[in-house]
Amino acid sequence: MNKNYIKPFEWSIIEEGFDPENVEASESLFSIGNGSMGQRANFEEDYSGKTFQGSYIGGIYYPDKTRVGWWKNGYPEYFAKVLNAPNWIGIQIKINDTELDLNSCQVSNFRRELNMKEGWLSRSFQAILETGEEIQVETKRFISLEYNEIGAIEYAVKAINFSGEISFSPYIDAGIVNEDSNYDEYFWEILKIVNGQNNGCILSKTLKTAFHVATAMEVSFTLNDQKVAVAQQTEVEEKSLHYTYKLPVFKGDTAKIYKYGSCVSSLNYQKEDLIEAAFKNVKKAYNLGFSQLLESQKNSWSNIWHTADIIIEGDIRAQQGIRFNIFQLNQTYLGTDARLNIGPKGFTGEKYGGSTYWDTEAYCIPFYMATKDASVAKNLLMYRYNQLDKAIENAQKLGFKNGAALYPMVTMNGEECHNEWEITFEEIHRNGAMIYGIYNYVNYTQDFEYVPKFGLEVIIAVARFWHQRANFSEAKDQYVILGVTGPNEYENNINNNFYTNYLAKWCIQYAAECLDRVEQEFPEDYKRVMDKTKLTDEEIKEWLNVAENMYFPFSLEHNVYLQQDGFLDKELIPVAELSSFERPINQKWSWDRILRSCYIKQADVLQCMFFFENKFNKEDLERHFDFYEPLTVHESSLSPCVHSILAASIDRMPKAYEQYVRTSRLDLDDYNHEVHEGCHITSMAGTWMSIVQGFGGMRVWEDGKLTFNPQIPKEWKSYSFTINFRGNIIKIYKSQTDCKFFNESKNEVVMLVNEKEILIPANKSVTVQC
C-alpha cells in the first residue's frame, strides 16, 4: 500500500488514481455511518480483486465460540463480534453483457471523495472494458442521519464510445460471513425473501443471539435525467435477491439507477413488523428522492459541525486530520441510544469484535460531553450501570465475593468475552476507567446527582474489587497488586504496575469521598444504596487501609516511578536507536523478544499522570516524560494523544505537535500498517483532546472551575474550537499573538485563563494576550 496516497484537503478525504494495493485501506478510510449502522467503502459494482466486504448494524452481534489452544478456568465461552450484516449496496453492472470489474478493465481518472462537511461518499472513473466499450461512472452514496435506518445510492453510467445496452442488477446479499470468524461459521439464518416491483426484502436471524434483521431495497431509473420505467427480471437464490434491468442506450447517453436501502432490527421493532418497517423506510426514501435526502444530510451534518468543528489555519494536513477524527466519531456514536456504545473500529471493520472497551470511559466521554451535551455522556455511563450485575458475575467467576465487580475488557452485553489470558484476567486497570468516567462526568457537568441515583453502586462494587485484589506484602509492609497487565500490553503478568496500583488507591479514596457527600446531601439514596449493598463502616475502613498503604515501585537513581517491579532489569535502549526496518515491532519481532525489551506500547505511568495531572507538579511531569517518552514506540493507537497532551502541558510544543500529527493522521497515513483492518475510532477522541486539552490547555479541576492555558504550534497561524460547558456554548480562538473567547450563550461565563479569572458576558467576547 502507498501510505501517503490520501490528498490533503480541508473538508474531504480524497483518493486520485486507482491502485488495487490501496483498495482495502480505502474501504476503511472512506467508511460511512450514522451511529446506528455503517459500512466500509466497498464498490457497488462487483470487484474480483482483494476486498473486505463490511456492513454493520449497531447492537447486532454473534457469540463466536472462543478459539484458544489451552483452556483456562474463567475463560469466556465466546468472543462477541459485531456481525457483517446483509449487503444492500450491491449493483452489478454489465455493458453489452460484459461485466464491469475494476480488477480486469483499464481504469483512468479514478477519484474517490469522502465529503466530511456534508456526509457523503462519491466515486468517479472512466473504464475501458475487455471488449472495448468505454464508460464514465459517477456514484454518490450516504447513510442518512435524520432517517437513521435509510441509505441512498446514485449510480450513473455514461456510454462514451458505443451504443448498446447497460444492465443494472441491484441486489441484497445475505450470504455474508465475517472476516474474523474463528471457525469460518455462517452466523445468519435466512427466514424469508420477499420480492416485489422494484423493491424487495430479506428477513434474517442471527444464530444463537436470535436478532432479527430485515434488509430492504427499492430502485428507480433515469435516462439522460428523465425518469424511465424498465422491465424487471427477478432472481431469488437461497441467500440473495437479484433484480436485473436492461436499458438501451446510444453513444453519449447516461443511464442512472437510484437505490435506496434500509436495515431494521428486532432491537427496535417487533419481529413480525420488521418486513413492513423496512419496506416503509425504502418507500419513504423513494418518495423523498435522492436530492431531498441529500439536503437533509447536509443540514444534519451542519448542525453537528456547529459545535464539533475544529478549525486550523496554516496546516492543511493537520486540519484534514482532526476533521477526519471528529467525522468518524460522529458516524460511530451519536448518543441517542443508551444500549449502544463505541467499538474501537466503529463501523469500519471487525477487529476487536466491534465491542466495548475501556476506551469509552478513558477517552471518549470528554469528546461527547463537550461537543454535544451532558445527556450523551450520561448514556455512556448508564450503559455500564445497566451492566453492573454482569460485572459482579464476571468477578464471581474469578473468585471475588461480596458484590465486587470486574467490568469486562470486551463486551456487548456486560459479559466478558475477551479470551487472551494476559488481558482477560490481568488487564484489570479497565475497572478504574469505569470510575474515572463517572468522576470526569461529574466534574465537567456538576451533575453530582448521577452518583447517588446510579453511580454509587458501581463505585462501591469496583472499590470492593480493588480491596480484594490487593494483598499485603510482609516483605514490603505495604499492599501490592500482583499478576497484572497495564495499558502497555508489551509487558504481561507483571507485579505492581504503577498505573493499576494508583487507580486502585484513587478509586477507593473517591468511593469514600462520594459516600460522605451522598450521606450528607442525599440521605434517602444513601440509605437505599447502603441497604442494597450491605456496606458497613468497618468495610470502608478496610478499603482505606489498603489505599493508604498501597505500594508504588520507585527508582531513587532516576527519581521516577517505575512502570512495574523489575522494569530497570531491562536494557534501556531508546527507540531512536531502533532501525526503521524493525518497526513496528509487533509485526517484526517475536512476542518473546517484545516482552523482554524495554519498549512501551503506551506508557502506563504517563497515562496515570494524564488522568491525575493535578496530583503531580510540573517537575514530576517533565522528569517522567523524559524518562518514558524515549522508550515508547506508540504502537497503541491510544498512546500519541496522551503524549501530545502532556508535552503541551510541560511546554514541549515541538513534541506535542509531532504526536498530534501522529494521532490525527494515524489512519490516514497508516502509521501502524493496519488501516486495512479498520480505523481506530476510540483513539480519535484522544486526537480531539490533544487540541482542546493539549494546545488549548482546557481543564476542569475538582473545584469545578473551567480553565485554559492556550498555546499554539509554530506550524499554525491559528486554531479554534467550540465546547458546550454546562449548557453554555463557548468558542476559543488562538492565534500566534492572542486568544479570544466568544460566549455564544445567554449567561455570563467565568473562567481562568493562564491562572487569571476572566468574565465573559452573554453573547460577548473577550481577548486575552497569551
Side-chain angles (χ1 to χ4, degrees):
M1 173 193 148
N2 175 8
K3 288 184 63 174
N4 297 303
Y5 71 95
I6 299 298
K7 305 299 179 184
F9 285 87
E10 291 184 348
W11 275 110
S12 292
I13 307 302
I14 294 177
E15 174 185 9
E16 294 178 340
F18 180 67
D19 184 346
E21 293 296 315
N22 295 334
V23 166
E24 288 183 293
S26 290
E27 288 173 344
S28 297
L29 294 173
F30 291 81
S31 295
I32 56 176
N34 65 1
S36 298
M37 63 179 184
Q39 59 193 205
R40 290 170 60 83
N42 308 112
F43 299 155
E44 290 88 356
E45 72 275 1
D46 286 354
Y47 179 68
S48 62
K50 196 173 182 182
T51 179
F52 174 4
Q53 172 69 45
S55 296
Y56 309 102
I57 304 170
I60 305 299
Y61 69 94
Y62 178 83
D64 199 10
K65 182 173 170 55
T66 293
R67 185 169 190 166
V68 291
W70 178 26
W71 193 269
K72 299 176 180 64
N73 288 335
Y75 260 167
E77 295 288 333
Y78 67 90
F79 189 97
K81 292 177 177 176
V82 62
L83 282 189
N84 205 330
N87 169 23
W88 67 268
I89 68 167
I91 308 172
Q92 294 172 335
I93 306 295
K94 289 185 178 180
I95 309 300
N96 292 334
D97 293 326
T98 300
E99 183 177 354
L100 172 61
D101 178 354
L102 269 63
N103 196 47
S104 60
C105 59
Q106 298 178 40
V107 181
S108 61
N109 298 321
F110 182 94
R111 186 179 191 273
R112 176 165 18 197
E113 176 180 0
L114 180 63
N115 186 299
M116 300 180 290
K117 187 174 186 178
E118 299 178 350
W120 49 260
L121 169 66
S122 71
R123 268 189 314 140
S124 60
F125 60 88
Q126 289 176 242
I128 301 176
L129 279 64
E130 296 169 302
T131 46
E133 294 94 340
E134 184 174 2
I135 57 173
Q136 169 74 33
V137 174
E138 294 186 2
T139 77
K140 182 174 288 185
R141 78 173 186 248
F142 57 91
I143 297 179
S144 175
L145 292 183
E146 182 174 356
Y147 309 102
N148 69 349
E149 296 168 340
I150 289 174
I153 301 171
E154 178 185 64
Y155 194 108
V157 182
K158 181 178 182 179
I160 294 179
N161 69 343
F162 68 95
S163 296
E165 187 176 75
I166 297 177
S167 171
F168 295 92
S169 295
Y171 62 89
I172 302 171
D173 180 9
I176 301 296
V177 296
N178 269 50
E179 287 272 327
D180 65 348
S181 169
N182 282 341
Y183 294 94
D184 298 322
E185 291 180 275
Y186 181 65
F187 297 155
W188 294 91
E189 177 186 351
I190 309 303
L191 299 179
K192 191 173 185 179
I193 299 178
V194 181
N195 62 84
Q197 188 60 40
N198 297 332
N199 59 28
C201 183
I202 297 182
L203 180 65
S204 309
K205 180 183 78 170
T206 63
L207 302 177
K208 296 185 181 179
T209 45
F211 293 110
H212 286 57
V213 172
T215 308
M217 66 175 175
E218 180 143 348
V219 298
S220 63
F221 298 89
T222 64
L223 183 61
N224 298 325
D225 293 325
Q226 298 297 312
K227 287 186 177 180
V228 291
V230 189
Q232 172 185 311
Q233 299 174 14
T234 302
E235 183 179 357
V236 180
E237 298 181 350
E238 182 183 1
K239 297 177 181 178
S240 64
L241 173 63
H242 290 247
Y243 296 151
T244 297
Y245 304 85
K246 297 180 179 181
L247 278 72
V249 295
F250 293 103
K251 179 179 176 181
D253 283 350
T254 297
K256 189 179 297 184
I257 182 175
Y258 292 96
K259 184 178 184 184
Y260 305 101
S262 177
C263 299
V264 297
S265 79
S266 53
L267 285 174
N268 302 310
Y269 296 90
Q270 295 297 315
K271 294 171 184 175
E272 60 270 19
D273 297 332
L274 286 170
I275 291 176
E276 180 183 355
F279 272 126
K280 186 176 180 180
N281 279 338
V282 292
K283 182 58 67 177
K284 177 192 290 185
Y286 170 82
N287 290 335
L288 288 170
F290 189 88
S291 295
Q292 189 170 333
L293 284 170
L294 183 58
E295 283 305 307
S296 167
Q297 183 79 342
K298 294 175 182 178
N299 291 334
S300 295
W301 274 104
S302 178
N303 292 334
I304 288 174
W305 286 116
H306 178 70
T307 51
D309 193 21
I310 292 179
I311 301 171
I312 298 172
E313 290 187 299
D315 189 341
I316 195 168
R317 295 180 77 253
Q319 175 68 87
Q320 183 185 44
I322 188 59
R323 282 188 174 140
F324 178 69
N325 284 245
I326 294 169
F327 180 73
Q328 290 290 2
L329 283 163
N330 278 285
Q331 290 200 127
T332 302
Y333 184 80
L334 291 170
T336 56
D337 189 340
R339 297 170 300 174
L340 303 181
N341 210 283
I342 306 155
K345 296 294 183 186
F347 297 119
T348 73
E350 296 163 19
K351 191 175 181 182
Y352 307 122
S355 305
T356 305
Y357 282 62
W358 66 286
D359 307 19
T360 292
E361 286 71 26
Y363 292 84
C364 297
I365 281 179
F367 170 81
Y368 289 102
M369 283 193 300
T371 64
K372 298 190 184 301
D373 58 47
S375 67
V376 174
K378 189 174 181 178
N379 271 348
L380 291 171
L381 297 181
M382 289 300 297
Y383 179 90
R384 298 293 191 176
Y385 172 76
N386 291 333
Q387 296 179 353
L388 176 58
D389 288 347
K390 291 288 188 182
I392 292 172
E393 287 180 21
N394 293 335
Q396 288 173 340
K397 291 175 183 177
L398 301 184
F400 294 88
K401 303 174 182 177
N402 192 33
L406 175 59
Y407 275 89
M409 186 66 180
V410 177
T411 193
M412 280 289 191
N413 63 359
E415 292 179 323
E416 176 65 78
C417 60
H418 196 286
N419 45 52
E420 295 176 24
W421 66 270
E422 69 276 11
I423 292 176
T424 306
F425 303 144
E426 296 193 341
E427 206 162 331
I428 56 175
H429 66 82
R430 70 221 188 214
N431 234 19
M434 304 301 113
I435 310 309
Y436 188 81
I438 296 172
Y439 160 82
N440 214 356
Y441 169 80
V442 170
N443 262 9
Y444 191 89
T445 65
Q446 295 290 281
D447 177 21
F448 183 78
E449 190 173 358
Y450 176 81
V451 173
K453 299 301 181 187
F454 306 103
L456 189 58
E457 294 175 48
V458 175
I459 292 168
I460 290 169
V462 169
R464 282 174 160 165
F465 171 84
W466 289 123
H467 171 230
Q468 295 176 40
R469 186 61 171 79
N471 64 275
F472 188 75
S473 165
E474 296 286 349
K476 291 182 169 62
D477 195 29
Q478 286 181 291
Y479 283 90
V480 296
I481 300 180
L482 309 177
V484 301
T485 298
N488 173 32
E489 293 169 340
Y490 287 177
E491 292 178 299
N492 304 148
N493 197 31
I494 48 91
N495 296 330
N496 296 308
N497 173 257
F498 176 79
Y499 175 68
T500 304
N501 287 23
Y502 196 99
L503 271 178
K505 173 187 176 78
W506 174 83
C507 284
I508 289 172
Q509 292 173 333
Y510 185 63
E513 292 171 11
C514 288
L515 282 162
D516 287 345
R517 183 172 173 184
V518 171
E519 183 179 17
Q520 295 298 317
E521 299 179 16
F522 301 87
E524 292 183 6
D525 286 304
Y526 180 79
K527 184 179 185 307
R528 173 182 57 80
V529 174
M530 295 294 278
D531 289 346
K532 183 177 181 179
T533 60
K534 297 180 173 55
L535 181 64
T536 65
D537 290 342
E538 184 60 34
E539 184 181 350
I540 297 170
K541 288 180 183 178
E542 292 175 6
W543 294 356
L544 290 171
N545 181 50
V546 170
E548 291 161 5
N549 294 283
M550 185 66 70
Y551 165 74
F552 299 102
F554 188 83
S555 167
L556 292 174
E557 177 188 355
H558 298 283
N559 196 21
V560 295
Y561 289 107
L562 297 177
Q563 284 215 137
Q564 70 272 337
D565 286 345
F567 183 77
L568 291 182
D569 292 337
K570 295 171 178 284
E571 190 177 9
L572 303 183
I573 304 173
V575 174
E577 297 181 21
L578 264 183
S579 165
S580 61
F581 295 105
E582 297 191 73
R583 304 281 306 278
I585 62 172
N586 63 13
Q587 297 174 24
K588 302 295 180 68
W589 285 13
S590 70
W591 195 240
D592 168 75
R593 187 179 179 189
I594 289 173
L595 293 176
R596 289 186 289 106
S597 79
C598 67
Y599 299 122
I600 298 168
K601 187 179 183 185
Q602 64 182 105
D604 296 350
V605 175
L606 298 187
Q607 174 78 33
C608 182
M609 292 182 171
F610 160 64
F611 271 1
F612 303 107
E613 184 182 350
N614 58 332
K615 306 295 185 183
F616 303 91
N617 61 41
K618 188 174 181 180
E619 290 71 26
D620 290 333
L621 297 177
E622 289 176 333
R623 195 166 57 252
H624 286 83
F625 190 90
D626 290 341
F627 183 77
Y628 286 109
E629 165 63 24
L631 303 176
T632 305
V633 290
H634 299 296
E635 290 172 13
S636 164
S637 65
L638 302 174
S639 181
C641 58
V642 169
H643 285 245
S644 180
I645 294 166
L646 288 178
S649 71
I650 58 176
D651 304 319
R652 307 281 181 84
M653 288 301 287
K655 176 61 72 172
Y657 175 76
E658 169 197 298
Q659 292 301 307
Y660 163 76
V661 171
R662 180 167 185 136
T663 183
S664 70
R665 299 191 65 86
L666 179 70
D667 294 315
L668 291 176
D669 294 342
D670 199 14
Y671 276 90
N672 291 342
H673 306 279
E674 58 187 12
V675 74
H676 60 283
E677 298 173 330
C679 297
H680 296 83
I681 302 300
T682 50
S683 73
M684 292 177 174
T687 301
W688 178 88
M689 288 194 294
S690 68
I691 291 182
V692 175
Q693 295 183 12
F695 302 143
M698 188 185 87
R699 302 288 188 276
V700 182
W701 297 127
E702 289 155 341
D703 59 8
K705 291 182 180 178
L706 177 65
T707 72
F708 291 92
N709 179 29
Q711 301 178 81
I712 185 170
K714 64 179 178 58
E715 292 83 358
W716 299 355
K717 293 179 181 178
S718 70
Y719 66 90
S720 64
F721 59 86
T722 303
I723 61 167
N724 180 347
F725 182 67
R726 300 173 189 167
N728 300 305
I729 304 301
I730 305 165
K731 183 176 181 179
I732 296 87
Y733 171 88
K734 177 74 176 84
S735 70
Q736 290 289 346
T737 56
D738 58 27
C739 192
K740 297 179 182 178
F741 296 86
F742 301 83
N743 180 5
E744 299 180 359
S745 307
K746 297 179 181 178
N747 307 308
E748 67 178 28
V749 174
V750 178
M751 64 180 71
L752 294 177
V753 179
N754 295 333
E755 301 182 357
K756 294 181 179 179
E757 185 172 285
I758 66 169
L759 183 149
I760 312 176
N763 296 306
K764 300 291 183 181
S765 65
V766 171
T767 300
V768 179
Q769 299 301 314
C770 58

